[in-house]
Amino acid sequence: MPAHLLDRPDHRAAPRLWVPKHVLVTRSARDRPHTARILERVAAHGVEDVRLLDGDRLPAAPKGENEREAYARAKATMAVVVAPPSALKPQPIPPSADWRLDLARGCPAHCQYCYLAGSLSGPPVTRVHANLDDVLAPVAALTGTGSVTTGDARRGGEGTTFELSCYTDPLGIEHLTGSLATAIERVGGGWYGDGASLRFTTKFDAVDPLLGLPHGGRTRIRFSVNAAEVERFEGGTARMPARVEALRRVAAAGYPVGLTIAPVMPVDGWQESYGRLLDDVAVALADVPGVDLTAEVITHRFTPSSKQVLEAWYPRTRLEMDESVRSVKRSKFGGVKYVYPKETMQELRRWFEREVPGRLPGARLLYST
Ligand code: SF4
């Protein structure tokens, strides 16, 4: 990164790092080389409660624990596990990427709209995968295949794309695992051949360990950003100015970058709020030469099961999840999602289609959904 961009006077505070209270290691994960590296990092962060389990099942909740207590304990727990076959099975992940890779499942943050609620079952323990080589092996096997971004006139140039943030926030746990840096270095260095690229999105800002990696321009780092009125639902994450500053720093380090503007909510004065957000990004990137910036816009939605889980986790939430003011969207497998009514969706989409390129010259809006 050019020195003048690193040395810019700013108000950067130390990044927000999650430190689990409890670390569990399953028997199958225990002797893996990556587990040893993870446990060194865990020790360096001062975690004292590290338990090596006799089996591969995580312990059941203590008797008498209520739902809130179970949630709090799970969110304070990191488990080192061997990724199950379902996490190793290649899956297309439209509209983001050709394929999904799971470095972990679960996330320590507390977003009241979390899209993982209802898609991952059980208590929200962050399970990090010890068999990193197995997790990354599909990059070699699948490069050259794919039908989401591969073949897309605007996105095909990125090669076969692999999304790392389907079931976790990989930067939020990177200081404890190092898995993300390994993936970035391997793909950047052509370990799996040419023609693959990684992408992930994050609400954290601890980007320092990524800045000097030989990434080869093959990892697109996106920051999940939002209007201030929505940010208040995002507990345990880095604040918005810190995310925008982290975006500037990785862009200056030569990474392709992106904004995941999600979940978009038509809060009062949303045009001004989202306008301010885009303007803040424009200011942050103004002195960074040659930025490759994309934007993805995803409106808020919920499912019957995610609503049920989120209401149990956040019983006092003020997040609107009112079916009566939403439209129903059915998937081809019969699943139901509640989205904003058609007119609202159109209004939001038109605004972002106009304002993203208008306020962020050179940015490419990849999709708006
Ligand atoms: Fe869920 Fe993402 Fe928030 Fe983590 S950062 S709690 S994965 S929405």
Side-chain angles (χ1 to χ4, degrees), residues 107 109-111 113-116 169 203:
C107 168
H110 303 269
C111 302
Y113 55 73
C114 180
Y115 62 93
L116 298 182
D169 185 315
K203 291 189 178 75

Side-chain angles (χ1 to χ4, degrees), residues 59-225:
K63 274 210 171 74
E65 192 175 63
N66 66 32
E67 199 138 17
R68 282 293 301 159
E69 291 163 343
Y71 167 83
R73 190 178 42 80
K75 279 281 184 180
T77 303
M78 183 175 96
V80 186
V81 306
V82 169
S86 62
L88 299 176
K89 196 168 156 214
Q91 296 281 351
I93 189 73
S96 174
D98 289 320
W99 304 105
R100 187 194 87 207
L101 297 176
D102 297 340
L103 300 177
R105 282 185 169 183
C107 168
H110 303 269
C111 302
Q112 294 171 32
Y113 55 73
C114 180
Y115 62 93
L116 298 182
S119 52
L120 291 182
S121 58
V125 170
T126 300
R127 294 167 168 80
V128 305
H129 293 154
N131 48 338
L132 185 59
D133 290 340
D134 298 339
V135 168
L136 296 177
V139 180
L142 296 175
T143 294
T145 71
S147 57
V148 177
T149 61
T150 294
D152 179 303
R154 292 176 321 137
R155 300 183 64 192
E158 299 195 355
T160 306
T161 49
F162 294 87
E163 171 63 72
L164 301 178
S165 46
C166 270
Y167 286 134
T168 190
D169 185 315
L171 188 61
I173 50 176
E174 175 63 5
H175 55 293
L176 300 166
T177 67
S179 305
L180 184 57
T182 301
I184 291 172
E185 279 183 323
R186 289 189 186 177
V187 170
W191 259 57
Y192 305 105
D194 290 333
S197 72
L198 303 176
R199 58 198 331 266
F200 68 90
T201 192
T202 183
K203 291 189 178 75
F204 288 84
D205 64 332
V207 293
D208 277 17
L210 308 186
L211 298 179
L213 296 179
H215 57 75
R218 289 181 175 168
T219 296
R220 185 174 295 279
I221 304 182
R222 297 118 75 211
F223 287 84
S224 173
V225 292

Side-chain angles (χ1 to χ4, degrees), residues 258-280:
L259 302 174
T260 310
I261 309 173
V264 168
M265 298 184 194
V267 293
D268 283 348
W270 62 267
Q271 294 92 336
E272 289 74 30
S273 295
Y274 285 103
R276 261 195 303 279
L277 172 72
L278 296 181
D279 291 346
D280 287 347

Side-chain angles (χ1 to χ4, degrees), residues 330-335:
R330 287 181 198 281
S331 76
K332 58 183 170 188
F333 305 111

